[in-house]
Amino acid sequence: MDCTYSDYGHSELSLPLTDEEDSVSFLTASPSSSASTSGSGEPLASPSPSSNLGRSDDPRGDKKRKAKGRSKGKPQGGIHLVKRSRRTKANDRERNRMHNLNSALDDLRGVLPTFPDDAKLTKIETLRFAHNYIWALSETLRLADHCVDGSRKQVMLPGYLKNIGPPSPGSDEGSWVTTPSPSSATTCTSSPASPSTSEDYAYKRPTDSIFSFRTIQKDFLNEVSCFNDYH
DNA sequence: TAGGCCATCTGGTCCT
DNA sequence: AGGACCAGATGGCCTA
């Protein structure tokens, strides 16, 4: 609209800061980030109470974030305090919304089987991994269904499916790369994120592990087999 | 240093 | 009218 704030990342900041802007969090920075500003010397305000910058749970280290708004190049002018206040509140809501989204992503990371020393999954990795993981579990159940005499009520779920958690390091020798063909998956093939080639089944960290659910599937089938032998 | 990932700001759009 | 959602823009941090 007509109220565009200058690009905080540039020195062309011409908008006089109001008291509100001085104290409210549309500019944010951690206390130690002042030495790493862009050099524009723009004023930095403290994060709002809802802000979560410099979180200690950031595995990439205590990244010092300094929020930088964008400019659409619209003409700058005086900003009405009402609009300024509205914008600030909207920013807080948006920040909170994104924090909730990230929290949900963290919850999702928590139920995905990864090695403890693995680097934290990125957002896109988390989503793709979860997608593949669900597919693998579904496939495991489907195969188990075929192996148990059609009698599902007798199937005893193994512990790793009752309580999903990271497998012990070194216990997994398989690879998603060799998982069954996509044609056996009935629900994931239409999604853009669905694996479309055998290689897409692999969850690969850039530098380290490939985690496989083949072992889980194999163990599961072994248990089913033992169960049938026993009875 | 380039590229990836991320947090934040921002304006537009849709919904209640 | 105000909030939720979205996508674009921007710049910081980190790694190869």
Side-chain angles (χ1 to χ4, degrees):
Chain A
M1 307 298 278
D2 58 341
C3 57
T4 297
Y5 315 112
S6 62
D7 186 340
Y8 310 132
H10 296 80
S11 57
E12 67 224 37
L13 180 68
S14 60
L15 188 68
L17 292 176
T18 64
D19 290 342
E20 177 188 30
E21 285 164 333
D22 262 337
S23 59
V24 179
S25 65
F26 80 102
L27 285 179
T28 57
S30 61
S32 60
S33 65
S34 57
S36 61
T37 61
S38 61
S40 58
E42 73 273 25
L44 300 175
S46 300
S48 68
S50 62
S51 178
N52 201 20
L53 290 178
R55 296 166 300 159
S56 59
D57 63 341
D58 191 337
R60 295 168 181 277
D62 293 330
K63 294 172 82 170
K64 308 305 178 190
R65 303 285 185 184
K66 183 177 64 173
K68 294 295 180 181
R70 63 164 175 156
S71 168
K72 283 195 169 180
K74 293 180 180 177
Q76 301 170 13
I79 297 175
H80 200 276
L81 280 180
V82 173
K83 286 183 177 179
R84 173 69 262 176
S85 174
R86 241 181 245 162
R87 218 332 113 188
T88 300
K89 282 199 290 184
N91 290 347
D92 283 343
R93 284 195 305 271
E94 175 67 8
R95 205 181 306 120
N96 198 48
R97 194 180 70 87
M98 296 308 296
H99 288 170
N100 288 336
L101 184 62
N102 289 337
S103 177
L105 268 172
D106 281 339
D107 291 344
L108 182 57
R109 286 186 187 101
V111 299
L112 291 176
T114 55
F115 296 122
D117 54 343
D118 269 353
K120 181 182 177 182
L121 296 174
T122 66
K123 292 180 176 181
I124 186 66
E125 285 171 342
T126 300
L127 293 175
R128 288 188 172 141
F129 192 7
H131 177 271
N132 288 349
Y133 187 43
I134 291 169
W135 176 86
L137 293 180
S138 302
E139 194 69 1
T140 297
L141 291 177
R142 188 184 69 80
L143 291 178
D145 257 0
H146 282 54
C147 298
V148 187
D149 252 353
S151 171
R152 231 177 151 170
K153 60 179 181 292
Q154 293 295 328
V155 176
M156 297 169 60
L157 288 178
Y160 52 75
L161 286 181
K162 293 175 187 171
N163 183 22
I164 296 170
S168 58
S171 68
D172 173 44
E173 301 299 328
S175 164
W176 275 58
V177 174
T178 55
T179 47
S181 69
S183 61
S184 61
T186 56
T187 59
C188 327
T189 53
S190 61
S191 163
S194 299
S196 56
T197 68
S198 60
E199 283 196 354
D200 289 336
Y201 284 92
Y203 161 64
K204 297 176 181 176
R205 295 290 299 176
T207 58
D208 49 24
S209 65
I210 298 175
F211 180 73
S212 167
F213 295 101
R214 261 202 129 192
T215 302
I216 291 178
Q217 188 170 342
K218 185 177 65 181
D219 290 348
F220 179 83
L221 295 179
N222 281 341
E223 281 205 26
V224 170
S225 176
C226 291
F227 179 84
N228 289 337
D229 291 344
Y230 181 77
H231 290 81

